[in-house]
Amino acid sequence: MLHSKYKWQPQAYDANASQQFAEVLSISPMLASLLISRGICTVEEANMFIKGNMDDLHDPFLLHGMTEAVPRILQAVDSEEHILVYGDYDADGVSSTSLMIHLMRHLGASFDIYIPHRSNEGYGLHNHAMDWAHQQGVSLMITVDTGISAVEQVAYANSLGIDVIITDHHEPPEVLPNAYALINPKLSDCSYPYKGLAGVGVAYKLCQALLGNPPIEWTELVAIGTVADLMPLTGENRILVQTGIASMRKSSFQGIKALLEVSGIVKETVTSTNIAFGMAPRINASGRLDHAGRAVSLLTTEDSSVALGLAHELDHLNKQRQQVVEDILQEALTQLETKIQNGGLPSCIVLAGKGWNVGVVGIVASKILERYYRPVLILGIDEGTGTCKGSARSIPGLDMYDALTSCKHLMDHYGGHPAAAGMSLPIEHLSEFEIALNQYAKTILVTEDLIPVVEADGEWKISDLSISVIEELELLQPFGMANPVPRFIIRDVVLQESRTMGREHNHLRLTMQQGNNRLEAVAFGQGNLSELLTSGSSLDVIGELSINEWNGSRKLQLMLHDLAISEPQVYDLRGAKDPQMEINRYLQMMGPRLRGQSSQVGVIFEEKRLADIRNDLNELSLWVYDKNGGMISSNSLAEQGKDDITTLFVLDAPLSPRQLDEMMTTYKSLRNIVLLHDMDVPEKLQVPDRELFKKLYILLSRIGSVPVSERDVLSQISRQSSTSVRMLSMMMDVFEELSFIERSQGSITIVSKPPKKDLDDSLHFRELGKLAEMEQNLFHTNTMQLTNWMITLLKAIS
């Protein structure tokens, strides 16, 4: 048995509503069900989701503060005031700033831009930037993707005679800045119908309010920032991103064309996925390792050669960023391992390191969250300033913004969303900060929150899936947050073949069958799963469906996300050179798929191994074969009991059928067996039959009725009959029990007139049959024969 790595959560939907959608919209029942699972309740909403366009956007003046902001900006332009656009250094901030540059150019305004340096200045507004703006003659400042928490900085700008218009989308604090205008759909007194806009989306609404119909190509910038900032692709975001992607496919922006080229993305087929994994990391790399101004220059230049040069610079920075992330990740994991050894896995993981680049700590946090599924905060320590700056990533069970708010007295600054946030604090508060966050997390998180969940779009059979149905799913594009690529659960498929792919064999390809229908699946980075999969096993799988085109052939392919096997599993590692290393390797491969504690993993072996096994594997439940049959617990975990053991590593084969029976019946919850026993077996036994015993008796009768050396006789008969001496000796036990021979001091004598008895009357005969069958299966069969035999035994006791 292998549990799924994630908890699968199929989205519920109303079958009647699905049928109505299918009929009214002339779409397949599958697409109808997917719309419903995305929270679309009416045909009108379904039409808007599928057919919504720019004409369906909300009036920008519904945003609180817009009525005040627009005339102030127009006044500044008419009066030739100097305007400052103040942005943020992430991809949303870069897109927002670039959009405002295009707006300022369009209006003919006098303007400058300011984006703080992530490492040297940190997030948000800064008083020294206000001083610089004042020196430049700025009288109006417009923030994009930042500013909603800048109470003191806005007050300082006001004291300098600078009016501040804040456009932002982050969670508003309790106390708001005294700005000339605050534009944020999340403000409590803002009645704007859609709350999910990115920072660039709010900036675009400002453009709308000022121009009515901004140039359609500006939505390309909106698409980049919205996707990169992981905003929900619903409502207005969906329309803006969809429009932006369509425009991007024929983009006139030199910077976007160059970025697509360097990212290896075909412009004519660009998708939201390309933005998320190709374009956004390169834009973000600018602000992480250098200054975000370089990315802004790329998105605003009109010179193609300059654009290509900048795009290559960002690509190089992104490669550097990847290496920096890997270096910090390894240091952080080492630090976390020490924490785990000293006190267990924390409810909220807080790790800090000297010199860690604060521009990439958010990525490191995401990677550690993915591995441990806990809220994670990674902070870089600057000993020169005595501060820590960092980023947090959280799981659905913990609102990170609320968590930080609970200990805001320990920080200099913080801000963000429920899933991600940034903060800075003095070094001397770090320990108290970690304790406070963990105390808060313990009051919020429950066990169910700590099991990663993957949502699925229902359970389907392979026969439900066709190329035409999958093609129809393109109507759901663009995919992203709140509108993920559809995932399907398919249960009870039979594994026909599994094999690894790639130069390093780190990818997996499966061929599965359900009835008369076949489906291929590919799992990138999961090549090691091939060792845990056996042909003929029944699988449950979950993944994304796509159409694979090769040599003119088109067929469905499942991008496998996860799988589960509910049947017992037997793994044949007989004759492993280093069995203990194999145990650790298999435990690492199985990982969360075992879904249990170390006490549920047992190891069984002969007593002679005990000292070594205790040294290396004492964290598992250790068992030794009892010479009289049965098992003896050999460490404290084993003494807790045997009923919960689900996975058993067999280092030494049982010596008798009784030991085998005891092994199979003792562990009542056993579902996985890994066989690691040595293949250097004693002389081979044959499954006994009457013909074999008849031949032996004839050979013995030729010796006569005088006593002869048993050793010499068995050696002679072994050469004549190609039967092992061990087998012959056990057959002699049968003859002795049936009074066909007599034994005395190493000699045997044929009984001249033996009693008439059947072989089945002999206990030795029956036990020899069981022992020979056991050894035949354990030592002399191929993997398929062995696993089928063991699974039959497992099923017989389950």
Side-chain angles (χ1 to χ4, degrees):
M1 165 182 263
L2 287 179
H3 289 283
S4 57
K5 187 176 180 180
Y6 303 96
K7 179 182 177 182
W8 303 352
Q9 188 168 293
Q11 296 296 297
Y13 65 92
D14 185 324
N16 292 330
S18 175
Q19 188 61 39
Q20 181 188 10
F21 274 26
E23 292 174 359
V24 174
L25 299 173
S26 298
I27 57 177
S28 69
M30 175 181 283
L31 179 57
S33 72
L34 295 180
L35 290 170
I36 293 170
S37 69
R38 281 153 173 71
I40 296 170
C41 302
T42 66
V43 170
E44 291 72 22
E45 289 175 346
N47 266 316
M48 177 62 71
F49 192 90
I50 294 175
K51 302 174 183 178
N53 57 51
M54 295 292 285
D55 293 335
D56 297 308
L57 296 181
H58 302 299
D59 182 348
F61 286 97
L62 294 175
L63 280 160
H64 175 85
M66 192 67 79
T67 304
E68 293 77 23
V70 168
R72 179 65 186 89
I73 294 170
L74 293 175
Q75 176 192 330
V77 173
D78 290 342
S79 303
E80 299 184 352
E81 295 179 51
H82 198 48
I83 300 171
L84 179 67
V85 175
Y86 195 114
D88 187 27
Y89 39 64
D90 67 1
D92 188 11
V94 166
S95 303
S96 305
T97 304
S98 301
L99 177 61
M100 294 307 291
I101 289 174
H102 287 288
L103 173 66
M104 293 294 111
R105 289 174 179 173
H106 187 88
L107 294 174
S110 170
F111 72 97
D112 265 320
I113 68 166
Y114 192 96
I115 298 178
H117 192 285
R118 185 191 289 259
S119 300
N120 299 338
E121 298 174 275
Y123 177 81
L125 276 60
H126 301 282
N127 285 349
H128 63 262
M130 306 300 107
D131 290 332
W132 175 82
H134 183 60
Q135 292 170 4
Q136 302 304 310
V138 169
S139 54
L140 175 64
M141 181 170 71
I142 305 171
T143 76
V144 284
D145 192 36
T146 188
I148 197 64
S149 301
V151 176
E152 295 179 4
Q153 293 80 4
V154 170
Y156 185 66
N158 290 339
S159 72
L160 297 176
I162 300 175
D163 290 338
V164 181
I165 295 173
I166 291 175
T167 74
D168 202 351
H169 72 126
H170 294 95
E171 296 292 334
E174 294 177 6
V175 179
L176 297 170
N178 183 26
Y180 188 91
L182 284 175
I183 304 174
N184 184 333
K186 293 179 182 174
L187 289 169
S188 58
D189 57 350
C190 181
S191 59
Y192 194 72
Y194 186 70
K195 305 295 183 181
L197 292 170
V200 69
V202 179
Y204 184 81
K205 300 306 293 188
L206 179 61
C207 295
Q208 261 195 315
L210 285 162
L211 303 180
N213 292 304
I216 200 70
E217 58 266 25
W218 290 7
T219 57
E220 297 176 39
L221 299 171
V222 182
I224 293 172
T226 302
V227 171
D229 215 42
L230 303 181
M231 291 295 102
L233 295 192
T234 59
E236 283 195 314
N237 282 350
R238 175 174 170 78
I239 294 171
L240 289 167
V241 172
Q242 193 173 45
T243 305
I245 289 174
S247 177
M248 201 178 292
R249 289 173 177 170
K250 52 183 187 300
S251 182
S252 60
F253 283 124
Q254 298 301 328
I256 288 178
K257 289 195 289 186
L259 190 58
L260 289 169
E261 179 181 335
V262 168
S263 303
I265 300 168
V266 178
K267 185 176 73 168
E268 289 74 19
T269 59
V270 64
T271 65
S272 55
T273 303
N274 297 142
I275 294 173
F277 296 102
M279 301 174 73
R282 289 169 171 82
I283 293 173
N284 275 322
S286 177
R288 295 185 192 282
L289 296 188
D290 186 42
H291 191 280
R294 192 179 304 198
V296 171
S297 296
L298 172 66
L299 295 180
T300 55
T301 184
E302 297 177 358
D303 187 314
S304 60
S305 60
V306 170
L308 192 58
L310 287 168
H312 279 292
E313 288 176 18
L314 294 191
D315 186 57
H316 179 67
L317 282 173
N318 191 49
K319 290 182 173 66
Q320 286 183 299
R321 186 271 305 169
Q322 291 170 335
Q323 186 58 54
V324 171
V325 166
E326 183 59 29
D327 293 343
I328 296 175
L329 177 63
Q330 294 309 315
E331 290 183 39
L333 289 173
T334 300
Q335 191 181 124
L336 177 58
E337 190 59 38
T338 302
K339 286 181 185 282
I340 293 172
Q341 290 174 358
N342 293 336
L345 185 61
S347 298
C348 186
I349 297 171
V350 180
L351 304 169
K354 297 175 183 177
W356 287 359
N357 188 314
V358 298
V360 301
V361 290
I363 301 173
V364 176
S366 295
K367 289 180 178 293
I368 294 178
L369 182 149
E370 183 178 352
R371 184 173 301 194
Y372 289 95
Y373 205 67
R374 294 287 193 281
V376 180
L377 291 86
I378 305 294
L379 301 108
I381 298 174
D382 187 335
E383 291 184 297
T385 62
T387 60
C388 305
K389 294 179 182 178
S391 290
R393 298 293 183 269
S394 195
I395 59 179
L398 184 83
D399 185 317
M400 183 53 69
Y401 186 82
D402 288 347
L404 292 175
T405 301
S406 73
C407 49
K408 62 182 180 181
H409 58 287
L410 297 171
M411 294 178 289
D412 296 327
H413 178 81
Y414 75 100
H417 310 292
M423 76 296 299
S424 62
L425 64 152
I427 293 176
E428 58 268 21
H429 289 176
L430 182 58
S431 178
E432 187 180 353
F433 177 67
E434 180 178 3
I435 293 170
L437 274 176
N438 269 280
Q439 288 176 339
Y440 178 84
K442 286 177 182 178
T443 66
I444 299 297
L445 294 171
V446 296
T447 302
E448 290 74 19
D449 293 329
L450 303 179
I451 300 175
V453 174
V454 58
E455 293 186 346
D457 294 286
E459 299 182 10
W460 304 85
K461 296 185 181 299
I462 297 179
S463 57
D464 296 323
L465 311 171
S466 66
I467 289 178
S468 61
V469 168
I470 303 308
E471 287 177 331
E472 188 185 36
L473 299 188
E474 288 298 304
L475 291 172
L476 297 176
Q477 290 267 26
F479 297 122
M481 297 300 291
N483 182 38
V485 178
R487 296 188 189 99
F488 304 98
I489 296 172
I490 309 173
R491 298 197 184 275
D492 299 321
V493 296
V494 178
L495 180 63
Q496 299 294 314
E497 180 187 17
S498 68
R499 58 187 175 89
T500 57
M501 304 186 303
R503 183 177 299 174
E504 298 178 1
H505 301 282
N506 54 341
H507 308 307
L508 181 68
R509 180 181 292 277
L510 306 179
T511 302
M512 305 172 296
Q513 185 137 355
Q514 191 180 61
N516 296 321
N517 301 289
R518 302 191 95 185
L519 179 65
E520 286 195 348
V522 172
F524 290 106
Q526 298 188 54
N528 58 0
L529 271 180
S530 64
E531 295 187 57
L532 303 177
L533 302 176
T534 306
S535 296
S537 296
S538 178
L539 310 179
D540 296 337
V541 296
I542 181 173
E544 302 170 9
L545 281 166
S546 61
I547 300 170
N548 184 26
E549 300 190 28
W550 179 255
N551 285 340
S553 173
R554 303 177 82 230
K555 59 182 178 180
L556 288 183
Q557 178 175 272
L558 183 75
M559 189 65 66
L560 185 72
H561 289 182
D562 198 7
L563 59 80
I565 306 175
S566 57
E567 328 177 303
Q569 295 295 296
V570 175
Y571 301 108
D572 181 10
L573 300 181
R574 292 174 295 178
K577 292 181 179 179
D578 190 340
Q580 294 177 41
M581 183 186 75
E582 287 298 305
I583 290 175
N584 288 320
R585 191 173 71 86
Y586 256 65
L587 287 175
Q588 186 175 8
M589 279 195 298
M590 290 175 170
R593 297 184 184 281
L594 293 179
R595 287 252 186 105
Q597 305 299 319
S598 56
S599 60
Q600 293 178 265
V601 179
V603 184
I604 189 165
F605 47 90
E606 293 179 10
E607 189 173 6
K608 63 185 180 182
R609 291 184 186 259
L610 184 55
D612 289 341
I613 299 299
R614 276 183 177 166
N615 284 336
D616 298 334
L617 299 172
N618 204 42
E619 73 279 6
L620 305 178
S621 181
L622 303 182
W623 298 80
V624 168
Y625 290 115
D626 185 351
K627 294 178 182 178
N628 298 317
M631 319 292 154
I632 301 173
S633 58
S634 297
N635 67 348
S636 57
L637 277 179
E639 288 168 2
Q640 294 176 14
K642 53 187 178 295
D643 291 347
D644 292 333
I645 289 178
T646 58
T647 299
L648 184 67
F649 290 91
V650 181
L651 283 184
D652 295 304
L655 297 175
S656 68
R658 182 181 174 188
Q659 282 188 343
L660 175 64
D661 290 342
E662 287 288 331
M663 184 180 82
M664 302 302 288
T665 57
T666 292
Y667 308 110
K668 301 185 185 306
S669 302
L670 191 58
R671 303 299 286 162
N672 297 313
I673 298 179
V674 184
L675 298 170
L676 293 145
H677 57 267
D678 203 328
M679 295 294 283
D680 293 333
V681 297
E683 294 178 277
K684 185 176 181 180
L685 299 179
Q686 298 168 246
V687 177
D689 57 26
R690 285 171 173 77
E691 192 62 30
L692 184 62
F693 275 87
K694 181 179 177 181
K695 289 180 180 178
L696 176 59
Y697 191 77
I698 292 171
L699 291 172
L700 284 173
S701 63
R702 293 173 183 169
I703 296 171
S705 57
V706 296
V708 293
S709 166
E710 181 174 353
R711 179 177 179 180
D712 291 344
V713 167
L714 295 187
S715 179
Q716 177 185 344
I717 295 176
S718 176
R719 291 193 298 271
Q720 293 174 347
S721 63
S722 300
T723 304
S724 72
V725 171
R726 177 171 172 248
M727 178 70 183
L728 292 171
S729 178
M730 290 185 175
M731 293 174 73
M732 291 300 181
D733 294 339
V734 175
F735 283 158
E736 181 183 29
E737 181 185 354
L738 297 176
S739 301
F740 292 177
I741 65 169
E742 292 177 351
R743 279 170 160 162
S744 177
Q745 298 180 343
S747 297
I748 58 172
T749 305
I750 299 295
V751 175
S752 58
K753 292 183 178 181
K756 289 187 177 181
K757 293 183 180 179
D758 193 273
L759 286 173
D760 289 331
D761 295 334
S762 167
L763 176 63
H764 282 95
F765 177 78
R766 296 194 298 272
E767 289 185 343
L768 175 58
K770 292 178 182 177
L771 180 60
E773 180 189 10
M774 181 189 82
E775 290 191 0
Q776 171 68 23
N777 283 294
L778 288 175
F779 298 113
H780 305 295
T781 54
N782 61 36
T783 295
M784 181 173 291
Q785 293 168 327
L786 172 68
T787 54
N788 287 340
W789 175 69
M790 292 292 291
I791 287 174
T792 299
L793 295 179
L794 270 176
K795 288 181 176 179
I797 63 169
S798 61

